Amino acid sequence: MHYPEFFDAVPRIRLRDPLAEFLGAFEGGLIEYAYLDAVRLAGHSCPTVASAYWLTRQALRALYGDALPERGGVRVAFREHATAGVTGVIANVVSLITGVTTDTGFKGLAGRFDRRNLLAFDAHQPLDLRFTRVDTGAAVDAIAHLRQVPADPQMAPLMQACLAGEASPDEARLFGQLWQDRVRRVLLEHGDDPQIFVIRPAA
């Protein structure tokens, strides 16, 4: 399987999952997710998938500091409806990493490890996402301003040509390269830019 080299340069997300530890899936319950995992889940790499992965990483860091985040230990709320825009795509990536689900997740064992009702939509909140620790109630709001990382001017006409079936193989290849270069810039050049990835304590 071949993919852009920068995927491997994106910092990973390390968590502890008490359920995985209890059932012997991972020693110590330690799980590590890479950007490639989010791409596999979504079936593609784009700024939306990248922002979902990175906002989750940054939000968990803000909530847990140097401690390992607990998978299944946070609630996530979205301001938009589940079917609005790219909300569903982002929610799928967030669910992969944090274990949150609506009512479709693991029901738990003897009152422990319940993963249901940790994911909500249509929430009244100032930013797109809110991550809340179940144990302490600490919460952060998050949003990504991806328009501040502009696409190469060639991308729009190349996309139209590709969609219309009029692009040459070289043009199609160039479009893919330019598309992924924007994703690379979002993650590796702007990942620590607070103007692009906004994480702030919830009011």
Side-chain angles (χ1 to χ4, degrees):
M1 182 174 64
H2 298 285
Y3 52 85
E5 291 183 1
F6 80 84
F7 285 12
D8 291 331
V10 178
R12 298 183 173 217
I13 302 173
R14 198 164 183 253
L15 310 93
R16 177 181 170 271
D17 189 326
L19 175 60
E21 181 178 19
F22 181 75
L23 296 178
F26 297 102
E27 184 175 353
L30 298 180
I31 301 178
E32 193 172 76
Y33 290 100
Y35 178 58
L36 181 59
D37 295 316
V39 174
R40 285 191 178 110
L41 173 73
H44 67 284
S45 168
C46 70
T48 295
V49 172
S51 70
Y53 178 87
W54 200 253
L55 280 176
T56 302
R57 179 181 184 271
Q58 298 297 78
L60 292 175
R61 288 181 68 188
L63 287 174
Y64 287 89
D66 293 331
L68 276 179
E70 181 179 318
R71 192 170 189 273
V74 298
R75 295 192 304 271
V76 182
F78 283 79
R79 182 168 54 178
E80 299 294 335
H81 187 70
T83 60
V86 295
T87 300
V89 176
I90 296 171
N92 286 340
V93 175
V94 173
S95 178
L96 167 73
I97 298 167
T98 65
V100 299
T101 69
T102 52
D103 57 358
T104 58
F106 184 63
K107 296 180 180 180
L109 296 166
R112 299 174 61 193
F113 314 122
D114 193 337
R115 299 294 165 84
R116 298 169 301 169
N117 304 312
L118 295 175
L119 177 62
F121 300 92
D122 299 309
H124 296 289
Q125 58 195 41
L127 301 185
D128 286 351
L129 293 91
R130 174 169 291 176
F131 294 77
T132 304
R133 284 184 60 160
V134 173
D135 56 354
T136 67
V140 293
D141 290 330
I143 191 172
H145 297 298
L146 297 177
R147 291 185 180 179
Q148 296 186 35
V149 185
D152 187 287
Q154 300 177 81
M155 270 184 53
L158 283 171
M159 173 180 272
Q160 292 303 316
C162 290
L163 292 174
E166 299 171 352
S168 68
D170 285 343
E171 288 173 327
R173 189 176 304 109
L174 176 59
F175 168 71
Q177 291 170 348
L178 294 175
W179 181 276
Q180 292 306 320
D181 184 65
R182 184 175 179 228
V183 177
R184 179 193 62 78
R185 287 185 285 119
V186 165
L187 289 169
L188 298 184
E189 295 182 9
H190 297 281
D192 293 321
D193 186 341
Q195 301 301 312
I196 306 296
F197 292 100
V198 179
I199 307 288
R200 70 188 190 197

